[in-house]
Amino acid sequence: MYDKTDLRSTLAGSPAGAAPVDRLYDAEYGLFYRDPPVEEDARGRSWYVRGQNFVIAYSEALPGAVFERTGQADEYMVLLPDEDTPAIAAAGDRTERSGGYALFVMPPGDSRLVLEKGGRVVRIFSAQSPDLVAKCPNADAYADRHANIPPFRPWPEPPDGYRVRHYSLDVPVEGGRFGRIWRCTTIMLNIPNRQKGPRDLTRVSPHHHDDFEQCSLALEGEWRHHMRWPWAVDMNKWHDDVHARVDSPSVTVIPAQVIHTSTWHSDVNQLVDIFAPPRLDFSLKPGWVLNESDYPMPAQ
């Protein structure tokens, strides 16, 4: 359903066997610009929201804020979406420093992040951390596993072992590559370039994902997420189309099997798409995943 000029039109199709549509799920939202923070303390203000396989922690950190994890079950990502956001990430005997506009991958176990000047930081976890899941106001939406999403399985460990990894977001545009994509064992992050001006409404990209959710993190601009649910056998379970208008910062979790596309409506717009575990179709495209040499794909 992609326009022929959209690079995603070249993606491999999903394998057969997606779960039939016997139950439909609502989209989930974290409207951080409107909702009160879950935490407000010496570190700043933090909001949480979850999907089936992931937890997003969005924070407006104060200078000197320290975010620690003790006995973390698996890898997680730390996104510094803005420049001039100096940070120190440490775990084990490894310490990495960043001036901002960067991505850290943090290993399992104990880790520490320090925001020297404060600023925006987004921590992205799998849902294998019960303490973080419990912070999410929408936790009850996933009290039972969504039937059309398979059980979470992390991807293979990095050949050189777990450690803090640092990646700059300052990556030049390259023809034939879709966005800026990084992955680890638990998460995949796609950061398209900022969009200037409203989207051309004659070239949108309606599509769906058979067996995973899409988490769309709006960092700048006004967005509208257009969603259409497939019809189930039981008409009582049908959904009306949704055209959700959200400002930034916010998270919209788009359910599996729901046809969706997003439009942007401001002078400057920035969206980040998050998937857990990583997407195989993106990973199969040569050169699309910028750190593919660090993380092997599952055996196929």
Side-chain angles (χ1 to χ4, degrees), residues 18-147:
V21 182
D22 56 356
R23 180 178 174 184
L24 303 173
Y25 300 91
D26 294 325
E28 295 293 321
Y29 303 94
L31 305 179
F32 309 144
Y33 60 88
R34 188 195 72 182
D35 297 338
V38 174
E39 297 173 334
E40 189 164 6
D41 52 29
R43 298 178 302 177
R45 304 193 303 165
S46 296
W47 292 259
Y48 295 81
V49 67
R50 72 162 296 186
Q52 177 66 63
N53 291 333
F54 56 84
V55 172
I56 309 298
Y58 176 91
S59 299
E60 296 172 351
L62 294 171
V66 178
F67 297 91
E68 294 183 294
R69 293 296 294 165
T70 302
Q72 171 65 28
D74 49 14
E75 282 189 310
Y76 66 100
M77 288 183 168
V78 175
L79 174 65
L80 303 174
D82 304 314
E83 297 179 353
D84 194 24
T85 313
I88 303 171
D93 60 359
R94 186 92 175 202
T95 298
E96 293 282 352
R97 294 177 177 269
S98 172
Y101 201 53
L103 175 70
F104 291 118
V105 176
M106 306 294 281
D110 299 347
S111 58
R112 192 170 192 262
L113 177 74
V114 181
L115 277 295
E116 298 172 285
K117 293 172 60 176
R120 297 197 298 175
V121 58
V122 186
R123 292 169 294 148
I124 307 163
F125 301 88
S126 82
Q128 306 306 302
S129 296
D131 63 317
L132 299 177
V133 168
K135 295 177 185 290
C136 299
N138 70 326
D140 288 348
Y142 297 91
D144 297 318
R145 183 176 66 83
H146 288 198

Side-chain angles (χ1 to χ4, degrees), residues 281-296:
D281 56 353
F282 280 5
S283 296
L284 288 171
K285 298 293 290 184
W288 279 28
V289 179
L290 295 168
N291 66 338
E292 61 184 346
S293 62
D294 293 341
Y295 289 94

Side-chain angles (χ1 to χ4, degrees), residues 75 152-158 162 183-187 277-278 295:
E75 282 189 310
F152 178 78
R153 289 190 178 91
W155 278 30
E157 297 180 11
Y162 291 118
R183 69 174 183 242
C184 65
T185 57
T186 54
I187 302 292
Y295 289 94

Side-chain angles (χ1 to χ4, degrees), residues 157-216:
E157 297 180 11
D160 61 348
Y162 291 118
R163 59 179 173 83
V164 180
R165 299 174 191 271
H166 173 241
Y167 305 103
S168 171
L169 303 186
D170 189 11
V171 177
V173 176
E174 183 177 308
R177 190 185 69 222
F178 180 69
R180 293 168 290 169
I181 303 173
W182 291 269
R183 69 174 183 242
C184 65
T185 57
T186 54
I187 302 292
M188 174 174 277
L189 197 70
N190 179 31
I191 309 177
N193 291 312
R194 284 184 175 90
Q195 304 292 337
K196 302 294 182 65
R199 185 170 189 176
D200 179 354
L201 300 186
T202 68
R203 295 177 61 185
V204 296
S205 54
H207 62 286
H208 75 281
H209 309 299
D210 283 340
D211 56 3
F212 61 87
E213 293 171 315
Q214 176 170 313
C215 173
S216 290

